[in-house]
Amino acid sequence: MISKQILFNSFLKENFSPKERSPQGWIVILGFLFVTVACYFAGAAALLRLIYPVTALLVAVFLYLRHPILYIGFTWWIWFLTPLATRLVDYRVGWDPTRQMLIAPYLVVFVTIGSFLRNLPGAYRQGGLPFILGFVGVFYGFLVGLIYNSPIPVARGLLDWLSPIIFAFHLFTNWRDYPSYRQNIQRTFLWCVLITGAYGIYQFVVAPEWDRYWLIESKLFTSSGNPVPFGMRVWSTLHSVGPFGSVMQAGLLLLFTSSGKLIFPASAVGYLSFLLAQARTNWGGWLLGVIMIMGSVKARIQMRLITIILVMAMCVIPLATIEPLSTVIGSRLETFYNLQEDGSFKDRSGSYDRNLSLALSNALGSGLGNIWKVNEKTGQIEVVVIDSGILDMFFTLGWFGAIPYMGGLILMLFSVSQYSEARFDSFVSAARAIGISASTQLLIGSGMLSVAGMILWGFLAMTMAAHKYYQHQNSRLF
């Protein structure tokens, strides 16, 4: 009888995605980069607020139809780099309160609505019930939002809530190409950790003018620090500290499954920038992920992971002891010993005390768009921050929407926790750890939205796709 290890070895020998190496796809991507850079330096930076989202959408449609593996990597990079591109444009031509360039990642993801609609009729039979439940909950919130809230905030909320679900469903329905998707995601996050980690250190030490300009205009001094060198909390190329922490948490956990010469430099800058972000929630999520990975893989892989962690500690700890890095990191670590006196902890506890009963008593929900309000003085749309994904679900979706939405997430978590493929495929172990650790953070943040939601839903979907792939391979062998 052929063992699962032999099955995995045969999987490793497969030819990974010849479509991904297509010169045609790369030419289109490079053309997009050229147009963006040319407009920026040719005095047409203001036009990028329209050109950038439109061209990103066109490239996404082309890749989705012709080069699906490249589409996945392109989607992730649009999430990683669009906030930086937006800050550069704002710095050159002036602050844009509408933040319209940030629509680009959502447009790129929404291309997968084609996969969702095409595969929805047979989704239940294929094991896609969690995605159906999630969609039902969001669609209910959308209908309620149309009744109670303004159309623009409702549309914005729909993008936030639905994008992670349809993208994750796209990954799941392409389970036959799991080896190619796996390799693409590993490589994408390896380069992401290297690039965003290096830029994060540069951001902390230098405080580039475009980042300082964004921080001053956004007035997020409490959450992002002061606009001076060594005074910022690192958010790198992302939109703010929270999204950067979520991306880096996932990337650093995924590095345990990769190999190559770039692993150690990527880990060194990645861990240091991760510490400088001072994102305690993500630090805890990373630690939980490591524990889960260590507990699910074989002893041989465990020893490899321990070796990697020790080497990384030897690289990062000396750097973290240099002033003023040691003061910034040390003071943040000290807050773990006295959470009761920590301002952030008090704010979140107070938010639960004030809002839990109110959220649970709102059976119908306020609908999508309820966390967006119009400033009466400026006329601008602003975000009402709710530091809890659970509260956000019940406020927005009510009982009728939150039950199917949470039911879908719980069903996914229960399903992936039963899979045995993590014993021989370290990527499955890491993807499952990323998804589960991200879901635990819903207690203190709306981690089911935007790029954090992409990570939560996406990596759980990849775990489900891997399980389905190995089941299919096993049935072919026997």
Side-chain angles (χ1 to χ4, degrees), residues 90-353:
D90 284 347
Y91 176 69
R92 173 154 292 208
V93 300
W95 179 253
D96 175 22
T98 66
R99 319 303 292 146
Q100 65 186 62
M101 278 184 67
L102 295 178
I103 199 71
Y106 298 100
L107 295 178
V108 169
V109 171
F110 243 72
V111 173
T112 58
I113 195 69
S115 297
F116 187 83
L117 296 176
R118 184 172 62 251
N119 294 285
L120 186 60
Y124 178 79
R125 295 191 303 274
Q126 297 175 11
L129 180 59
F131 306 100
I132 298 174
L133 292 174
F135 176 81
V136 168
V138 172
F139 188 69
Y140 169 81
F142 172 70
L143 295 178
V144 174
L146 290 177
I147 297 173
Y148 291 116
N149 306 311
S150 302
I152 293 178
V154 171
R156 181 65 175 82
L158 181 66
L159 293 175
D160 256 340
W161 283 83
L162 192 58
S163 294
I165 296 174
I166 61 175
F167 182 75
F169 185 73
H170 174 72
L171 295 176
F172 171 71
T173 55
N174 285 279
W175 58 266
R176 290 178 179 81
D177 294 319
Y178 164 72
S180 301
Y181 280 63
R182 172 189 189 269
Q183 187 188 48
N184 178 274
I185 292 174
Q186 283 180 311
R187 182 164 55 249
T188 297
F189 274 83
L190 168 62
W191 281 100
C192 169
V193 171
L194 179 62
I195 293 173
T196 62
Y199 182 82
I201 296 171
Y202 168 77
Q203 182 184 63
F204 179 78
V205 174
V206 177
E209 294 180 359
W210 45 88
D211 289 332
R212 280 187 282 158
Y213 180 75
W214 174 84
L215 184 53
I216 292 170
E217 291 295 331
S218 65
K219 299 179 176 61
L220 296 176
F221 305 113
T222 302
S223 60
S224 300
N226 299 315
V228 295
F230 303 104
M232 293 180 176
R233 291 177 63 184
V234 167
W235 66 88
S236 189
T237 64
L238 277 295
H239 181 56
S240 59
V241 173
F244 173 69
S246 298
V247 169
M248 194 58 67
Q249 174 187 329
L252 291 173
L253 290 174
L254 214 57
L255 286 187
F256 291 131
T257 72
S258 303
S259 59
K261 296 180 181 179
L262 293 176
I263 294 298
F264 291 111
S267 298
V269 296
Y271 279 108
L272 186 56
S273 63
F274 190 46
L275 290 172
L276 292 173
Q278 305 173 55
R280 293 176 305 181
T281 299
N282 299 108
W283 291 353
W286 175 85
L287 181 60
L288 175 61
V290 170
I291 294 172
M292 293 183 62
I293 294 173
M294 294 289 290
S296 64
V297 296
K298 292 183 177 180
R300 176 177 57 83
I301 302 178
Q302 287 178 343
M303 292 304 299
R304 176 175 172 268
L305 296 182
I306 292 173
T307 302
I308 293 174
I309 292 173
L310 291 176
V311 173
M312 287 304 98
M314 293 172 60
C315 294
V316 175
I317 290 177
L319 294 174
T321 57
I322 301 173
E323 288 291 349
L325 307 185
S326 61
T327 300
V328 173
I329 297 171
S331 61
R332 194 62 172 171
L333 288 171
E334 288 175 0
T335 61
F336 282 109
Y337 299 103
N338 195 14
L339 284 176
Q340 286 74 15
E341 300 301 322
D342 180 67
S344 177
F345 178 81
K346 287 182 177 179
D347 290 342
R348 286 191 169 96
S349 299
S351 177
Y352 265 100
D353 293 340

